[in-house]
Amino acid sequence: MVLIAICGWAQKKAVVWDTPAVDENEQIEGYFQTLIEVTRVEMDKDETRLFVHLAERDDNSLRFAKDTYLLADGKRYTVKSCEGLTLDEWTSLTNRGRANVVFHFEPLPQNTQKFDFIEGDGERAFKVLGIENAETKAKNLFPSCWRNDATGDWEIAFYDECAIYDCRFWNYKQRTDKGGKYVLVLESNGEELTVTVNKAKHSKRTIRIGDKSVSCSLISSITLPDYPTKDTRTGFADTHYQPGDTVTLVGWLRGIPEEMKNMGDEYSVSYQNIITNKQDKSYTKMDSLGRFTMKIPLINSSEVFFDWQRTFIRTLFEAGETYFLLYDFKSGHKLFMGKNARLQNEMLALPLAWSSYVTPYEEEKKLTSDEYMKGAKAVYDDNMDELNERISKHPNLSERYKEYLKGNYAVGIGRELMQGKFSIKNRELSKGYMAFASELWNAVPKPYTLNRDYGTFMRDYVDQFVDDKYSVNFGQYLITNPGDAIPSIFKYFRKAKNIEITDEELDIMRRESELNIALNRKLAQTEDEEEKTRLEDEYDNNEIVKKATEINERDDISELFMKTLPLIPVFQSLSIGDSVINDEMLREIIITHKLYKRIEQDRQSFSDEVMEFFDENVKSQLARDIINREQEKYLALERRDISKLASLKKNDNLEGMSDGEQLLRKIIEPYKGKFVLIDFWGTWCGPCKEALSHAGEMRKALKDIDIVYLYLANRSPEDAWQNVIKEYDLLGDNIVHYNLPDAQQYAIQNFMSIYQYPTYKLIDKQGNILDVDANPLDLDSMVEFLKKLE
């Protein structure tokens, strides 16, 4: 009894600030930089305790100096110890990059009103300035943010520069202080609004906004506290991929640090395009205070990423909504305002776990599929356990928050699982492996754009079923047979194109494909050359194969086959069934995605037949716009005739030559006395085309160098070759293109030891092949090197 009385007396003597407010805190991010939030202050007669929440990427580390101190009224109070960290040592935060620690300092006077928390006197020391009791802070209206006590939402904010309300900036037409009670007249775009702010009491104020009276609490934490009520809504806004309202984002990066100002005044939000599987970005300009408004044309409700160099935020935007983002580097707030911004605020307070499963380098290609699955499943289970722990600690988390995170974790690990097949021994996937992938596939919420990684998961998951049905693994290579896709395509077009092919003939084509796949599987399993020859002869002499060959050699059949080649992967994907492609919208997305990848690869317009199929099977206007835009682009390129330009070599002067060195010397002979930069590329090579898209920058940087750009294309169809040249404007007096026959191209490549694409080689003015890294994308080094040679 005596001990309890003593403890109770000591507790009464301590001065406690719950959720204190601050004047300035730049440490509010928690991924690229350390997040530091002072959550509680206890000023006892013997010591002052600072309760601090830390967040950091879990593969990073942080350090607090042993000379960390508090500064109050010009006097230092040094740190004595820290629970949870060892001072002056680099520490990784093992709990998913988070930790709650307690710093013990020399005792501040218990009547202290405000103090600073400073991590030593180093140049880049952590600083949280102007820490004070929230009740004291609430008595000063400027600056302050206020939360609606009933709804839990961010309601309004008051700064010297402007007010924030209803996702808008408001100027002050009138600002009257009547002894702590304020009468404000706000103006925005010609609209006026009267706001009456009553005196603060226990960090609360009653605020009358127009005709609405609201009980509000000061927001002193970095993000909004837990919402006071449950939100049982489920599901997310779905435009069904039709053109609709864009998302409007109004934002303020308040008090941008000096080191960030050299990043310019552009602000960006990026999001993944599920059809192209590429990152799209929206940009806008910030004003001198860091304020902006932007329209974001999302395909549907989507995961979005905010300007990671300055504001590392990963969240979800729903189609048609308006959001206001405050990212305050001065007072340390990260807040969303909006009629439907609860989920976004919950994700700021309790962000998605960043986790993945990557095969250790030493185990690459050594793990079985079950071993890899075990590792991926452990990460997934850990994510779900951590989410359940959050739900237990924060019982009012919205159902949509839970739904979104569960879906995001399913998509993320699903992507890792399907990408993992490239790291697995022999790429052989067990039934259990694909069963787990299917479990994740079926756990994904709609719309499909909600999670950035869904496009990759979708592609790899669907492709795996296609590979299982149509492909044979020959060591490191997959040999894919069109299978029943071709007869299905002919059946689809039979009537419209007046193709005279019977059901019996279509069945023969299907059976021949089955025989071909069976042959390849047998060939893959035997190393005996005589047995391989016997199997191939048996296949060639099969009556079904002979009949199928006769059908395929007919002029009408071969003509339609060439026109509909891009549809083969489409029909293969659609053939895997409803268990995978389980709704019409997903079917349209897969069709559009396959065709987009094909036109991007081939760089040629589609035939009328392909476009007819697309128009008949895809109703989403957004999807139609993407394919139609690409189709029009390549039609326009094809109408531009460059066949007579001197830049395109017809190879007549190389006829009959087969030696690689002789071929190269003949090609570069006219350019002696100039540097020659050779680019080995191909129309089928994605990295090659990405590099070519920057060719204009390269030519500009090297404009003062006497140089010839020589492009040698590998295995590139004539039309696609010319289209790429036109698309990237690779034309000029000092630009030369060759599209050599395969034998001559490979002869040159063998002579120059070219094993990957793109590869660049540099030849000096005397015709010597230089043994240097001639990567034109490293322009500064390239310019410097060539100037030295000159």
Side-chain angles (χ1 to χ4, degrees):
M1 293 294 292
V2 174
L3 179 61
I4 293 173
I6 291 173
C7 290
W9 177 84
Q11 181 63 31
K12 288 180 181 178
K13 288 294 183 179
V15 175
V16 177
W17 299 348
D18 281 317
T19 320
V22 303
D23 286 341
E24 188 171 340
N25 181 10
E26 293 182 7
Q27 304 299 138
I28 62 173
E29 187 218 285
Y31 192 78
F32 286 127
Q33 297 177 0
T34 303
L35 180 146
I36 301 174
E37 181 168 21
V38 179
T39 59
R40 181 179 172 90
V41 177
E42 294 179 355
M43 287 183 280
D44 216 335
K45 64 177 183 177
D46 297 323
E47 67 172 7
T48 293
R49 294 177 291 277
L50 222 64
F51 294 75
V52 179
H53 174 69
L54 302 172
E56 180 80 76
R57 194 168 68 197
D58 56 11
D59 59 351
N60 280 359
S61 57
L62 54 82
R63 180 183 70 92
F64 279 84
K66 62 182 178 182
D67 56 348
T68 295
Y69 61 93
L70 304 181
L71 182 65
D73 297 323
K75 182 178 177 181
R76 293 190 180 204
Y77 299 83
T78 58
V79 68
K80 297 191 296 182
S81 63
C82 180
E83 298 175 48
L85 288 176
T86 301
L87 296 171
D88 243 15
E89 288 189 8
W90 289 99
T91 304
S92 294
L93 306 182
T94 55
N95 181 25
R96 292 177 173 266
R98 296 191 296 274
N100 293 308
V101 302
V102 184
F103 289 90
H104 297 262
F105 291 90
E106 294 176 334
L108 289 166
Q110 290 185 307
N111 62 351
T112 299
Q113 297 296 301
K114 185 180 283 192
F115 64 88
D116 299 332
F117 171 46
I118 302 174
E119 186 253 334
D121 294 321
E123 184 178 342
R124 300 180 63 84
F126 300 135
K127 297 178 182 179
V128 182
L129 306 179
I131 302 169
E132 65 179 312
N133 191 348
E135 290 189 22
T136 307
K137 182 77 169 179
K139 294 177 182 178
N140 298 311
L141 191 63
F142 303 94
S144 62
C145 292
W146 297 87
R147 182 189 193 210
N148 186 313
D149 289 333
T151 65
D153 290 318
W154 173 29
E155 185 73 26
I156 196 166
F158 305 100
Y159 292 92
D160 287 326
E161 302 93 331
C162 59
I164 301 168
Y165 174 69
D166 191 29
C167 295
R168 285 192 276 172
F169 295 105
W170 298 75
N171 298 317
Y172 299 107
K173 288 194 69 175
Q174 178 184 326
R175 193 161 79 173
T176 306
D177 180 1
K178 299 180 178 180
K181 178 180 179 179
Y182 293 83
V183 177
L184 310 171
V185 179
L186 309 180
E187 184 276 331
S188 176
N189 296 324
E191 180 182 347
E192 287 192 6
L193 183 66
T194 300
V195 177
T196 303
V197 185
N198 287 328
K199 290 184 178 180
K201 186 176 182 180
H202 304 303
S203 71
K204 293 180 180 289
R205 290 179 184 264
T206 299
I207 304 176
R208 188 171 185 82
I209 307 169
D211 297 330
K212 180 177 70 172
S213 183
V214 186
S215 173
C216 292
S217 296
L218 178 74
I219 302 172
S220 56
S221 50
I222 291 175
T223 57
L224 280 184
D226 289 358
Y227 277 74
T229 59
K230 291 183 178 293
D231 181 358
T232 58
R233 293 176 301 156
T234 58
F236 307 92
D238 191 347
T239 66
H240 302 288
Y241 309 88
Q242 299 300 332
D245 293 332
T246 57
V247 166
T248 300
L249 174 63
V250 185
W252 191 4
L253 274 59
R254 183 172 180 266
I256 298 176
E258 285 298 322
E259 60 268 23
M260 289 186 179
K261 289 182 179 178
N262 63 1
M263 296 177 183
D265 58 1
E266 258 189 357
Y267 191 78
S268 67
V269 173
S270 62
Y271 39 93
Q272 200 76 0
N273 186 319
I274 193 173
I275 291 171
T276 66
N277 209 19
K278 294 179 179 178
Q279 190 178 80
D280 291 339
K281 277 190 177 182
S282 289
Y283 296 89
T284 193
K285 295 280 188 181
M286 297 185 290
D287 69 13
S288 60
L289 295 178
R291 301 179 300 185
F292 62 86
T293 299
M294 68 191 309
K295 299 286 187 180
I296 306 172
L298 299 177
I299 285 181
N300 207 331
S301 295
S302 299
E303 185 175 12
V304 290
F305 299 81
F306 287 48
D307 203 292
W308 282 5
Q309 291 182 308
R310 286 171 287 208
T311 55
F312 186 82
I313 295 176
R314 175 189 185 190
T315 192
L316 165 71
F317 273 177
E318 293 189 84
E321 294 288 341
T322 296
Y323 303 95
F324 187 106
L325 168 68
L326 174 66
Y327 201 99
D328 193 340
F329 292 99
K330 291 181 75 72
S331 57
H333 287 311
K334 288 190 294 186
L335 304 171
F336 274 110
M337 180 183 286
K339 294 177 181 177
N340 196 20
R342 174 169 177 158
L343 172 60
Q344 288 70 31
N345 278 309
E346 289 177 331
M347 290 182 67
L348 284 178
L350 298 166
L352 282 157
W354 285 80
S355 57
S356 60
Y357 178 68
V358 180
T359 310
Y361 179 77
E362 62 274 10
E363 295 180 359
E364 186 80 16
K365 304 289 177 68
K366 296 178 182 178
L367 293 178
T368 66
S369 62
D370 285 342
E371 288 170 333
Y372 188 96
M373 179 184 67
K374 183 179 179 181
K377 193 173 189 304
V379 174
Y380 177 69
D381 290 343
D382 188 40
N383 285 341
M384 298 305 292
D385 288 345
E386 200 265 349
L387 175 57
N388 289 329
E389 184 181 340
R390 288 187 188 185
I391 294 168
S392 176
K393 290 181 178 179
H394 306 273
N396 282 352
L397 277 171
S398 67
E399 291 302 314
R400 286 168 16 108
Y401 174 88
K402 302 171 194 176
E403 184 180 358
Y404 182 68
L405 262 67
K406 288 177 182 177
N408 198 290
Y409 294 154
V411 169
I413 297 302
R415 177 191 181 278
E416 298 287 349
L417 203 67
M418 298 318 301
Q419 281 284 294
K421 68 181 180 182
F422 301 109
S423 302
I424 290 169
K425 188 177 180 180
N426 298 326
R427 295 192 189 179
E428 294 176 354
L429 305 185
S430 69
K431 289 184 178 179
Y433 193 97
M434 287 308 295
F436 180 42
S438 297
E439 176 188 333
L440 298 171
W441 177 260
N442 292 321
V444 177
K446 298 175 185 177
Y448 299 111
T449 46
L450 289 177
N451 307 112
R452 173 190 64 173
D453 291 332
Y454 183 79
T456 304
F457 183 22
M458 174 192 72
R459 179 198 66 199
D460 292 344
Y461 184 69
V462 171
D463 284 355
Q464 183 60 41
F465 284 93
V466 170
D467 288 344
D468 286 345
K469 185 174 181 179
Y470 297 103
S471 300
V472 178
N473 191 345
F474 282 85
Q476 296 183 0
Y477 304 99
L478 282 179
I479 304 298
T480 301
N481 186 290
D484 54 10
I486 293 177
S488 296
I489 290 170
F490 278 97
K491 184 175 182 179
Y492 184 90
F493 286 105
R494 177 169 57 180
K495 184 175 181 181
K497 300 302 176 183
N498 294 318
I499 299 296
E500 295 184 2
I501 188 167
T502 65
D503 289 342
E504 181 183 359
E505 289 173 320
L506 291 174
D507 186 57
I508 288 171
M509 295 174 75
R510 288 191 187 91
R511 291 167 65 188
E512 184 276 331
S513 293
E514 292 171 359
L515 290 171
N516 185 272
I517 294 171
L519 168 67
N520 284 332
R521 286 176 178 160
K522 290 177 182 177
L523 292 175
Q525 293 171 0
T526 182
E527 296 181 359
D528 187 286
E529 293 301 323
E530 290 185 4
E531 176 63 9
K532 287 182 179 180
T533 301
R534 188 191 69 77
L535 290 170
E536 289 169 347
D537 289 344
E538 181 181 331
Y539 169 81
D540 291 338
N541 292 319
N542 188 290
E543 287 302 314
I544 294 294
V545 173
K546 292 179 179 178
K547 289 179 181 180
T549 302
E550 291 177 5
I551 296 169
N552 290 326
E553 288 176 349
R554 284 168 33 190
D555 290 343
D556 57 342
I557 299 297
S558 59
E559 182 181 355
L560 184 59
F561 172 78
M562 294 305 298
K563 289 181 177 179
T564 57
L565 267 176
L567 291 177
I568 290 176
V570 173
F571 274 75
Q572 287 177 326
S573 297
L574 296 181
S575 75
I576 62 180
D578 296 340
S579 63
V580 176
I581 307 174
N582 48 26
D583 70 32
E584 184 57 32
M585 193 63 248
L586 182 56
R587 181 178 183 272
E588 290 193 13
I589 289 172
I590 289 173
I591 291 172
T592 311
H593 172 73
K594 290 296 182 184
L595 289 178
Y596 178 83
K597 298 307 290 183
R598 186 61 186 245
I599 200 169
E600 182 187 45
Q601 174 184 314
D602 292 351
R603 302 296 169 116
Q604 292 178 262
S605 64
F606 289 132
S607 67
D608 291 343
E609 287 77 6
V610 172
M611 291 305 296
E612 285 173 19
F613 173 85
F614 176 72
D615 289 340
E616 290 169 4
N617 287 273
V618 175
K619 304 307 176 188
S620 164
Q621 190 58 50
L622 286 168
R624 293 166 70 92
D625 288 346
I626 289 172
I627 294 300
N628 288 333
R629 183 172 61 245
E630 294 299 302
Q631 177 75 352
E632 287 302 316
K633 179 174 79 174
Y634 287 107
L635 284 173
L637 288 173
E638 287 159 8
R639 286 191 289 266
R640 181 186 172 194
D641 185 12
I642 62 169
S643 60
K644 296 180 181 179
L645 293 181
S647 297
L648 302 185
K649 298 300 183 180
K650 292 299 183 181
N651 314 326
D652 295 338
N653 60 334
L654 305 177
E655 189 174 352
M657 297 180 66
S658 59
D659 180 81
E661 183 175 9
Q662 289 180 359
L663 282 163
L664 179 66
R665 295 297 175 196
K666 187 70 172 179
I667 288 172
I668 66 173
E669 187 178 41
Y671 315 114
K672 195 166 185 179
K674 301 176 183 287
F675 292 112
V676 179
L677 179 63
I678 307 177
D679 183 342
F680 291 89
W681 70 288
T683 58
W684 44 268
C685 167
C688 298
K689 289 176 284 193
E690 169 60 25
L692 292 176
S693 69
H694 299 284
E697 302 164 27
M698 176 180 63
R699 295 201 300 273
K700 185 177 180 181
L702 300 178
K703 61 182 174 58
D704 296 328
I705 305 294
D706 194 7
I707 190 169
V708 171
Y709 303 98
L710 172 60
Y711 295 94
L712 299 181
N714 174 284
R715 292 186 295 112
S716 298
E718 182 80 10
D719 290 343
W721 175 59
Q722 291 200 23
N723 280 349
V724 173
I725 292 168
K726 289 181 277 188
E727 183 175 358
Y728 298 125
D729 195 27
L730 303 174
L731 298 165
D733 294 338
N734 62 336
I735 298 174
V736 183
H737 293 276
Y738 277 88
N739 193 12
L740 296 167
D742 288 349
Q744 290 185 328
Q745 178 73 16
Y746 283 119
I748 295 174
Q749 291 179 184
N750 287 334
F751 166 64
M752 301 195 76
S753 301
I754 306 301
Y755 305 114
Q756 62 184 16
Y757 304 89
T759 292
Y760 308 96
K761 292 291 184 179
L762 185 63
I763 296 177
D764 69 14
K765 293 184 176 184
Q766 289 72 45
N768 301 308
I769 302 170
L770 302 180
D771 185 19
V772 296
D773 181 13
N775 187 351
L777 298 182
D778 186 3
L779 288 176
D780 291 340
S781 298
M782 190 75 167
V783 171
E784 184 180 353
F785 178 73
L786 289 170
K787 284 183 176 178
K788 284 181 179 178
L789 287 181
E790 282 202 312

